[in-house]
Amino acid sequence: SAVAGGEDCLWYVDRNGSWHPGFDCEFFTFCCGTCHQRYCCRDPLRLLTERQQRHCLAFSPKTIAGIASAVVLFIAIVTTIVCCFMCSCCYLYQRRRHPNTPLQG
């Protein structure tokens, strides 16, 4: 497809993990660079298409590992709390079954 110029650079994360907002290129300039460094240029052969930029946004292995760890931790915490309410040896179970009675004098 023909490119008329004025292509936008989408947001990106550089190699240091710093987030950079997207920006517009002037007319007859294009978004160029790599997944981790973007700039505007006039050379259409160095064009970084929007599709290529979106491909850069795909989850990295580190991101997937972080999300998976968070999910496992959340499930472990919820499971622990539910088990503690159901196990007769647990303090929360005993509190629920035998609430404190007011002192009678």
Side-chain angles (χ1 to χ4, degrees):
S1 64
V3 177
E7 291 290 313
D8 297 338
C9 287
L10 303 177
W11 67 269
Y12 66 98
V13 177
D14 64 21
R15 293 197 188 280
N16 297 325
S18 298
W19 181 84
H20 298 271
F23 54 92
D24 296 333
C25 293
E26 295 179 7
F27 197 64
F28 288 117
T29 60
F30 311 98
C31 185
C32 301
T34 65
C35 288
H36 304 291
Q37 181 184 11
R38 299 197 186 143
Y39 54 91
C40 296
C41 72
R42 296 189 186 279
D43 185 0
L45 298 176
R46 294 170 45 198
L47 168 70
L48 190 61
T49 65
E50 188 172 321
R51 183 177 180 184
Q52 290 169 324
Q53 293 179 62
R54 290 192 189 282
H55 180 72
C56 294
L57 302 177
F59 290 118
S60 69
K62 283 184 180 179
T63 304
I64 293 171
I67 291 171
S69 298
V71 169
V72 168
L73 181 62
F74 176 76
I75 291 171
I77 290 171
V78 169
T79 303
T80 301
I81 291 171
V82 169
C83 288
C84 204
F85 274 105
M86 299 176 82
C87 179
S88 62
C89 63
C90 186
Y91 174 75
L92 293 175
Y93 178 86
Q94 293 171 5
R95 287 286 300 218
R96 191 171 56 110
R97 289 288 183 192
H98 308 291
N100 290 343
T101 56
L103 294 174
Q104 296 175 354

